[in-house]
Amino acid sequence: MNVSGLKGTVAQLIAHLGIKPEPAATKLAEYLLTNRLPITKETFRSALQWLKAADAAVVGLPVIKTMFIQQLPFVKGVFDALFTQSKGEPFHKLLSGFRQQLQDGGAVTGTASKLKEVLDSLHVAKQNQLQQIGLQKLVTTWVNSDSTPEMKSGAFSLLQKTGFVPKG
């Protein structure tokens, strides 16, 4: 399909669906048509609304495609989850934000309490894992023959200060 043919088809699709011909609708229709994704009035309206709310069509359009390809439920919750994941924000930040929302939520339900416990245990487990990795790197630096004398001395000093290596 050539460019002018696509633009005509997009305009026809938007008119057929009874959607106001605006740039966001045109962009969505072009994307759905060029990727040969199924289009219904309901899915088009929903996708258009989500993309406008997310204000990031560049990231949002592939999320819509993923929802169709993986046959995921075409609901806002799924879109929001995939959209957030696609932004590449670290998982620990998402969990911390979620925990904060639970804490700020006010009413303490049994479910909210259990979720906070799980999130706290994940945080403690991750913190312990990071401490172990840090300790391993210090020991490796201390015993590694490629380390400079300053690095070895610094690693040894930190190991003593943490109590891993006794003083004296």
Side-chain angles (χ1 to χ4, degrees), residues 92 95-96 99 115-133:
H92 69 87
L95 287 179
S96 294
R99 189 190 185 296
L115 277 171
K116 279 195 246 179
E117 287 176 27
V118 169
L119 292 171
D120 287 342
S121 70
L122 287 172
H123 179 72
V124 169
K126 186 67 174 172
Q127 198 171 25
N128 288 340
Q129 182 185 10
L130 289 172
Q131 289 170 349
Q132 287 176 346
I133 291 170

